[in-house]
Amino acid sequence: MSMKICDRCSVPGCALIPGGKACQCARKRVCPEVVKNEGDRIHDMNNEELAILLAKMGADPDRLDRAAQSYTGEAVNKCLEFLERAVEEL
């Protein structure tokens, strides 16, 4: 299972805002191999941004509670691949 970006980063004594400009600069300087992935991008979303993403993906709010318990196998693996995919930072 993939860890959050702060768990993968080794900037010493970091007290920066995760994903902020200072965080990006420090990561590029100290541990450039640590890149933001789709999971990190989603983790940083507020509720409205996440709701928009889920709606674009065709999520049915009435089924979301049950969906987490019923999906296994290939569908889950494809979702994990998506979440671990690197994203370009602005």
Side-chain angles (χ1 to χ4, degrees):
M1 180 172 277
S2 181
M3 300 184 317
K4 292 186 285 190
I5 197 161
C6 290
D7 297 331
R8 300 187 314 262
C9 184
S10 61
V11 173
C14 180
L16 302 171
I17 297 170
K21 287 196 181 278
C23 171
Q24 291 175 25
C25 291
R27 255 193 355 263
K28 285 179 184 175
R29 184 175 30 82
V30 176
C31 48
E33 73 283 357
V34 177
V35 295
K36 190 171 186 173
N37 62 32
E38 292 289 349
D40 297 319
R41 183 178 68 87
I42 292 169
H43 182 267
D44 293 343
M45 290 180 175
N46 63 36
N47 284 349
E48 183 177 354
E49 293 166 327
L50 184 56
I52 291 168
L53 176 66
L54 290 170
K56 286 180 178 179
M57 294 172 65
D60 179 354
D62 295 329
R63 296 181 56 198
L64 286 176
D65 287 334
R66 290 176 283 149
Q69 299 170 357
S70 63
Y71 285 103
T72 58
E74 189 63 26
V76 172
N77 290 335
K78 285 184 179 193
C79 287
L80 285 172
E81 287 174 13
F82 167 77
L83 293 172
E84 293 171 356
R85 184 174 68 194
V87 296
E88 291 185 28
E89 297 189 44
L90 301 175

